[in-house]
Amino acid sequence: MAASVSASGYKGGLLGTSFHGSWGSSMAAGEDYHYLAGKAAVGPSHVRVSRKAIRVQPVMKNVNEGKGVFAPLVVVTRNIVGKKRFNQLRGKAIALHSQVITEFCKSIGADAKQRQGLIRLAKKNGERLGFLA
């Protein structure tokens, strides 16, 4: 259903407007570009910005911290060893555990989908026990 625009507005007079033209080629052809570009320079030539920018630092806290039986041990170990070294050790342990799961899946003839399911289950169990604290 086609609608027409008139001086009284949208068909039925629901939208009062004084628009009598069309969205023709005048803007697309760029006829008014220089006129509009000249009007844009009317405002202030510079804007003052405060030198003290307020930045909100995201809180990167572990959601599993304090949860699980082994969480206190994991937190104490991380504080003693240091975050960087702790994360390296944790990565090696996770990689080793994934290799053990892969070898187990090969020995019983499980496919890749089952292997991936076992790795996800191991991660969920590690979260529940507190190893990822």
Side-chain angles (χ1 to χ4, degrees), residues 16-94:
T17 181
S18 61
F19 178 72
H20 295 285
S22 68
W23 297 104
S25 63
S26 66
M27 293 302 277
E31 294 172 2
D32 296 329
Y33 174 77
H34 296 290
Y35 173 76
L36 293 173
K39 293 289 184 181
V42 173
S45 61
H46 66 281
V47 177
R48 180 174 216 146
V49 179
S50 173
R51 291 181 187 234
K52 293 184 181 181
I54 299 173
R55 291 188 181 182
V56 178
Q57 294 292 331
V59 178
M60 301 296 285
K61 189 170 183 178
N62 191 344
V63 295
N64 295 316
E65 191 163 340
K67 295 180 182 178
V69 177
F70 295 102
L73 179 66
V74 170
V75 171
V76 168
T77 304
R78 182 178 58 219
N79 291 338
I80 291 171
V81 175
K83 268 188 176 180
K84 184 176 180 181
R85 181 71 178 139
F86 178 78
N87 285 335
Q88 289 173 346
L89 292 172
R90 176 186 276 171
K92 287 179 183 178
I94 291 171

Side-chain angles (χ1 to χ4, degrees), residues 113-125:
K113 188 174 182 181
Q114 291 172 327
R115 180 183 64 84
Q116 190 64 32
L118 286 174
I119 291 173
R120 286 188 180 135
L121 179 64
K123 183 179 179 195
K124 286 180 185 177
N125 287 337

